[in-house]
Amino acid sequence: MLRLGVNIDHVATVRNARGGAYPDPVRAALLAQKAGADGITAHLREDRRHIMDEDIDKLMKSLTIPLNFEMAATAEMQQIALRHKPHAVCIVPEKREERTTEGGLEVAREENQLAHFIAPLREAGCRVSIFIAADQKQIEAAHRIGAEVIELHTGAYCDFHAEGKFDERDQELKRLTEMASFADGLGLEVHAGHGLTYGCVQPIAALPEVKELNIGHFLMGESMFLGMENAIGEMRRLMDEAREG
Ligand code: PXP
């Protein structure tokens, strides 16, 4: 079965716009859980622009489905992850000036540091996932450092789809397809995410090697119109349809 991880960061973005406690991302996570999410993803950024430390505390206490804790490879985040020991930790690149996670992690360039960085997380029992571009060099490096999971960055594929650049989109889909198969062949579990919408999710959901999709921004936006249960339910339906077809 293809799992759906729901990213609730942007409920916190709306909350923080007013500096209060509403809307509560933990309430969103519990609703997503009720609506059929298989996991919740939350990214604690260095600048705390959306998810805050207390949100992670509360998510760890209240969720019955796994938490995928997204973080940059910093000593501070490693300590937080080791304190909570979430089911999964996804290592992402992070730049203060970016609006969202723009690219994949440069694993190949920082192989030794990353191998040392993830070792204690693995020893603590977290499944370590590395967010990377669909690039053979990065996948091989992720495998060498001992990651169990890679998450393929679907951002470029989704952007080309949204801009109507269908040749470029199809090229990117071809790359994602080949690299999902390559990574699976190395024994890595393959996840995918970033920018996925109802319009572009199905070709990614149809890739047999992909075991989990992580989706946030579109689903939170759509929840404003349809309600969270309906928004997630429709994504689930499209994913299942793609998988069966
Ligand atoms: N996966 C990772 C590793 C991410 O960093 C993000 C964005 O925070 C997502 C998935 C979800 O992307 P989106 O919010 O565009 O659906």
Side-chain angles (χ1 to χ4, degrees), residues 45 47 49 93-100 102-103:
R45 293 186 76 106
D47 62 9
R49 70 173 70 158
E94 202 174 291
K95 292 193 224 106
R96 269 183 180 257
E97 63 275 16
E98 70 190 355
R99 257 188 276 171
T100 180
E102 282 166 1

Side-chain angles (χ1 to χ4, degrees), residues 38-57:
D38 301 294
I40 297 297
T41 295
H43 183 179
L44 185 65
R45 293 186 76 106
E46 185 199 10
D47 62 9
R48 311 300 199 267
R49 70 173 70 158
H50 38 58
I51 294 293
M52 314 263 221
D53 298 65
E54 311 80 74
D55 297 323
I56 300 293
D57 294 345

Side-chain angles (χ1 to χ4, degrees), residues 94-235:
E94 202 174 291
K95 292 193 224 106
R96 269 183 180 257
E97 63 275 16
E98 70 190 355
R99 257 188 276 171
T100 180
T101 315
E102 282 166 1
L105 199 68
E106 270 293 333
V107 199
R109 214 171 46 203
E110 295 171 39
E111 207 171 311
N112 283 342
Q113 296 99 298
L114 280 169
H116 280 107
F117 185 83
I118 69 168
L121 297 167
R122 292 196 58 198
E123 278 158 28
C126 303
R127 270 173 87 69
V128 176
S129 166
I130 311 280
F131 188 49
I132 51 177
D135 176 326
Q136 185 168 330
K137 222 172 57 197
Q138 303 298 341
I139 295 169
E140 286 168 341
H143 181 242
R144 279 196 299 273
I145 66 169
E148 293 166 274
V149 181
I150 56 154
E151 181 166 329
L152 293 175
H153 198 312
T154 53
Y157 157 80
C158 296
D159 286 346
F160 287 137
H161 177 82
E163 291 158 13
K165 296 179 178 165
F166 298 133
D167 288 347
E168 288 96 329
R169 176 199 62 186
D170 294 346
Q171 283 274 327
E172 195 58 31
L173 180 60
K174 183 165 173 278
R175 200 184 348 261
L176 287 161
T177 304
E178 287 168 0
M179 290 301 112
S181 164
F182 177 74
D184 182 70
L186 291 179
L188 289 161
E189 181 168 308
V190 182
H191 299 176
H194 208 284
L196 293 167
T197 64
Y198 294 155
C200 66
V201 73
Q202 288 199 312
I204 303 293
L207 301 177
E209 296 88 359
V210 174
K211 301 294 187 293
E212 179 175 308
L213 299 181
N214 284 304
I215 310 181
H217 184 263
F218 175 81
L219 273 181
M220 294 307 113
E222 201 61 11
S223 296
M224 292 185 204
F225 305 113
L226 301 180
M228 191 169 288
E229 295 201 52
N230 291 331
I232 291 175
E234 176 61 5
M235 188 60 84

